[in-house]
Amino acid sequence: MDASQYKDYVLVLLFLKYISDKYAGQPFAPITIPEGSGFAAMTQLKGKPDIGDQINKKIVAPLVAANDQLDRSDFPDFNESSKLGDGKEKSERLSNLIGIFESDALDFSKNRADGDDILGDAYEYLMRHFATESGKSKGQFYTPAEVSRIMAKIIGIHDRPTSSNTTVYDPTCGSGSLLLKVGDEAGTQVTLNGQEKDSATSGLARMNMILHNNPTALIKQGNTLADPKFLTNNVVTQFDYVVANPPFSDKRWSTGVDTENDPHERFKAFGVPPAKQGDYAYLLHIVRSLKSTGTGACILPHGVLFRGNAEAAIRKNLIRKGYIQGIIGLPPNLFYGTGIPACIIVVDKREAAARRGIFMVDASAGFIKDGPKNRLRSQDIHRIVDVFNNQIEVAGYSKIVGYDEIEKNEYNLNLPRYIDSGEQEDIQDISAHLIGGIPERDIDTLSAYWEVCPSLRTDLFSHCRDGYLNLTVDKANTKQAIYDHAEFAAFMQSMADHHELWRDRSAKRLRKLEAGFQPKQTIGELSEDLLEHYRGKPLINHYDVYQHLMDYWSETMQDDCYAIAAEGWVAKPYRIVQKLKNGKTKDKGWACDLIPKPYIVARYFADEQAKIDALEAEIETVASALDELEEEHSGDDGAFSELDKINKGNVSARLKELKTNEPQGDSPGSLDEEALAEMAILRKWQTLYNKQSKLNKEKKEAEKQLDTLAHEKYPDLSIDEIKSIVIDDKWMTAIAQDVRGEMDRISNTLATRIKELADRYDTPVKTLSQRVVDLESKVNDHLRKMGFEQELEAMK
């Protein structure tokens, strides 16, 4: 099946398993599971020839009938032969799928870590996967989580008092991921409302709400523009917060909409959007759906910022009303189904009357490649939110643009008109190319380094002429000269000491963690502390340091923390069993995720590992000698020329053949000197080969013994030892290495730039011209000696 189809079955099975584990048999549960309609009843249908029909009738139908928030259209047809096959094929396919969810590991009766919705996150992960795999037209049901997080953080819901009476609305909610991020950011339970045109996707949203512990969220199905479902006294309901990621440039938005006499008065004060361009139709619906104190955010293509005609008039009216608080330009290729760049329009009615400008952020350059798409990193999200919420102006990144400047640009909001985010051009200096010397203005651009190490500049450069400098150290040694400089070395040491302060503080905090803690809260506190610890420090970007921690969290630390939250500080090795095609299993050894074997070895069995390392070094020496011997004597006349392949068997056979003619005692034998030399080489090869085999055997035995020692060490580990290994040896060491790498990158950047400038102006035109004169003179001398005197005179 296409991903857009099989997602319906996989996600629904996950949903049914979850609600059965969580709510079956529980009185007053938010979801009612009728007797005989839970997942346990579904397992009894495995193998039945009419399993699909039975699931529809005995599981899905009673569940829908018992719960108003569910609809039959939320569930796929489990008896659809065109997708699932007929007869035995359908029965086996559905039975196997149910069997996957019977695993003991999938017990959803409670989340393993209180406050962390593991299953909901898994559901979100699957939806993102399906959106990626479904192709161009199927990505509309999922907004990338990173963009959702930004929108949730910039509308201010976290900074204002909230309660169950606080209302949040998404008019094009898709699978509900954006709504959920806003609800999560609120910190308290708020009322979530959404409308989605596609019936299957609205079903995903309803299930997603339940899985994320928002079973009372109201998701309605229908066309928001033509038939808004949220009405109060036949007027569009107004909410405290509105967020949306509507379809870009919807060409069919006006179908069913009375644009001239809209009963909901969405276009009355601003103008009617173009019939084939629906972006402003959705934005105006958001404006109409906001209370007078409300805030909203909408993702739209960049075209809404500068397109003319009807859209220009709407844009002008929105600006004059003061409704647009800010614009955030996002990188291209973030969204599934399109590669075009988009922006977030932030609408704020509360401060509209007093507003005198628009805060603009050009965040288009902050992303990382992730397969065919781009993705916002943790540091990109944090920087956008910090800058926007605190209205911080950063050159080339953000700016408060007054209405007078916007009016001069005829209400065009295209970000490049106001923010120059391009890289500064590296200007070539003609005078330096002609005469020599490094332009002083280029060295001045490295002022951040000279502020930290003022004497480093004077030690690296000397005065050449007005405005120009000479490099006083060898270009090839620039990097080492920087590293060895007393001021720079002192700075690097101070930064190492600075990191140690955070490391010690964080290690103490992490040692207090016990089973049941909340990993998300822990990494939030840890990362914010690291960010603040490096904020304002010279040369290093605190967001880059923050990203190193978040990357390590994603790769390793997150899994460790969830394991500790579930089971405490327990390090238990487990066997790795591989299932073979014939149904049998193969033992592939053991592993321990929390404390992998190398950490045990490094701390407790360093001597044993050193012996193995010494054996490996000796094996490499012998192997190198073997390779050298084979290469030296593998020619046509070499000692190995008679062998089809150089191996133990062939060498032994050749030696045996030669040995029959070898001199014995007083007997001279029949071998000549060449054959005797061949025997000597073959015997040398044998000796090296046997030594290599012996060493390999010793190494294998030593590794086996070390493996046993390490495995037997785990049960003896105390909780304090486990904490020390995990926190000090594993987590903190890895983070420190990443931060040290960031510092190395800083010094490399300086050295690379200085060498680049030195190379650029190393040979001025004056020197090149003299070289040409010298070479021409040499050539002419040679020509004269060759008898071409007259020709040279004729050329003058």
Side-chain angles (χ1 to χ4, degrees), residues 176-299:
S177 58
L178 178 52
L179 258 182
L180 286 166
K181 289 293 186 298
V182 177
D184 186 53
E185 187 65 26
T188 59
Q189 196 78 24
V190 295
T191 302
L192 303 181
N193 307 273
Q195 182 167 341
E196 169 56 37
K197 183 178 181 180
D198 184 81
S199 59
T201 305
S202 65
L204 285 179
R206 275 186 279 271
M207 294 180 195
N208 205 7
M209 295 296 136
I210 294 168
L211 289 170
H212 280 86
N213 203 29
N214 282 281
T216 58
L218 190 55
I219 305 296
K220 298 185 178 183
Q221 191 264 319
N223 185 327
T224 295
L225 296 180
D227 182 22
K229 298 294 185 181
F230 290 90
L231 301 173
T232 303
N233 298 323
N234 216 30
V235 176
V236 170
T237 303
Q238 294 188 317
F239 302 88
D240 296 303
Y241 300 94
V242 181
V243 289
N245 178 18
F248 287 177
S249 303
D250 187 356
K251 299 185 185 309
R252 296 185 295 275
W253 75 269
S254 59
T255 302
V257 179
D258 187 347
T259 56
E260 297 302 323
N261 297 290
D262 176 28
H264 308 295
E265 298 185 342
R266 292 167 291 189
F267 316 128
K268 184 177 180 181
F270 304 97
V272 179
K276 299 294 185 181
Q277 208 75 270
D279 298 315
Y280 273 107
Y282 290 101
L283 185 59
L284 293 177
H285 179 84
I286 289 171
V287 170
R288 181 64 173 156
S289 301
L290 277 172
K291 292 180 180 178
S292 60
T293 57
T295 307
C298 183
I299 302 169

Side-chain angles (χ1 to χ4, degrees), residues 21 161 250 268 286 319 445 472 613 639 673 737 764 782 784:
D21 287 352
D250 187 356
K268 184 177 180 181
I286 289 171
I319 294 170
T445 62
T472 58
D613 293 341
E673 290 185 8
Q737 287 174 345
H782 285 299
R784 287 190 186 95

